[in-house]
Amino acid sequence: MREYARVSPQFWIGHTGREIREHGPAAQVLAMYLLTSPHANMIGLYYLPKIYMAHETGLAPKSVGDALTALARLGFCSYDDATEVVWVTEMARYQLGEVKPNHKQAIGAAALYACAPVCSMLGAFHDRYVDRI
């Protein structure tokens, strides 16, 4: 489990935060959980069954599904049901910031990507972050 994560106060009042709020408290709770989950990593691409989401947030399984669908429509995250892998789309950008190649964080991010479960989002992740890791 990681010990440190950046979560901007803009989460609540920024453009994306306001869009998430329009989908209700379950979407807000799930979005914050995806950013701070004990299963998360700095690249935002990790294994996370929906049952974990429900159990650890206290949300009903249907609420998790509905909130996850809403968050995916907003582009906040993607979820691969077959592999139970989530990708929080902008997480690597916020967690890594502007790192240079061969920086410890870039090396760590590349290692996480190399070990990521095979899922439908690997190509899109690579295309988005190829210059950062």
Side-chain angles (χ1 to χ4, degrees):
M1 178 182 344
R2 63 193 177 146
E3 294 181 18
Y4 174 80
R6 293 180 190 164
V7 178
S8 171
Q10 287 295 330
F11 172 84
W12 301 107
I13 58 174
H15 176 73
T16 303
R18 289 191 313 270
E19 285 184 330
I20 292 170
R21 185 172 54 236
E22 289 177 14
H23 291 278
Q28 285 183 304
V29 167
L30 188 62
M32 183 57 71
Y33 172 75
L34 293 175
L35 294 172
T36 62
S37 165
H39 312 285
N41 58 40
M42 69 178 149
I43 66 171
L45 183 66
Y46 55 98
Y47 175 74
L48 186 64
K50 290 178 184 177
I51 194 72
Y52 288 15
M53 295 181 213
H55 175 73
E56 294 177 349
T57 62
L59 295 170
K62 178 164 180 6
S63 294
V64 166
D66 293 346
L68 201 53
T69 298
L71 294 174
R73 269 193 241 120
L74 293 173
F76 181 83
C77 67
S78 297
Y79 192 78
D80 185 326
D81 282 303
T83 60
E84 299 179 303
V85 173
V86 66
W87 175 30
V88 182
T89 313
E90 293 295 316
M91 193 151 168
R93 185 168 69 90
Y94 286 111
Q95 297 304 309
L96 296 172
E98 296 300 322
V99 297
K100 303 208 185 303
N102 298 323
H103 183 273
K104 284 165 93 174
Q105 280 188 308
I107 292 167
L112 286 169
Y113 176 74
C115 295
V118 175
C119 65
S120 62
M121 288 101 55
L122 285 179
F125 179 92
H126 179 269
D127 292 348
R128 184 179 213 107
Y129 292 110
V130 66
D131 296 336
R132 289 184 187 254
I133 59 171

